Amino acid sequence: ADPPHLVVGGGGSARVPTLADRVALRLPANRAGGASGAERLLQADEFASTLRRTQRARDPRRATMARLKYGLEDGREWTYPQLAQRYNMTVDGARGVVRAEVAFLRKEKEKLAHF
């Protein structure tokens, strides 16, 4: 079962799910050969750590923009206009930054293939 704080109406704390929480929800659960809840959280934590290490070599501002766009930073997905306003750039500029970061991560996906 999903952790109570990640279930709508779950009655748990109201904290924003972390990247590890969000990834854990997408990992296979208790199917033949699937991971248990604890294993899923460990895998998610390892994935989040690997993703951050991969992005560490990048411009922090650009990496943060990509994480914000996909809700991996604060739990909500930002729109391109919101990113543009926060980073004082055009919407097309924000879109270009996010696309470049996603392209970089796709090239680096071999490092993340075991996830």
Side-chain angles (χ1 to χ4, degrees):
D2 295 330
H5 65 275
L6 297 178
V7 178
V8 175
S13 68
R15 77 176 179 81
V16 174
T18 65
L19 173 60
D21 296 330
R22 292 172 61 94
V23 171
L25 293 175
R26 292 189 168 108
L27 293 172
N30 296 326
R31 290 185 272 200
S36 71
E39 290 169 331
R40 290 171 64 212
L41 287 175
L42 286 173
Q43 288 172 345
D45 242 7
E46 186 179 340
F47 175 80
S49 175
T50 301
L51 179 63
R52 290 201 188 276
R53 269 195 316 273
T54 300
Q55 284 191 308
R56 200 173 294 148
R58 307 291 286 174
D59 174 10
R61 180 176 175 235
R62 297 170 66 91
T64 301
M65 286 177 71
R67 288 194 307 270
L68 287 169
K69 173 61 184 153
Y70 295 103
L72 302 175
E73 189 74 16
D74 62 3
R76 70 180 182 94
E77 294 181 5
W78 288 48
T79 64
Y80 289 118
Q82 289 170 326
L83 289 170
Q85 183 177 3
R86 176 171 177 176
Y87 289 97
N88 195 28
M89 59 181 15
T90 66
V91 172
D92 286 337
R95 185 178 293 113
V97 167
V98 171
R99 284 183 180 168
E101 286 302 301
V102 170
F104 167 76
L105 290 171
R106 284 188 177 134
K107 285 182 184 178
E108 296 290 310
K109 73 181 178 181
E110 292 79 35
K111 295 177 184 175
L112 306 174
H114 63 282
F115 295 102

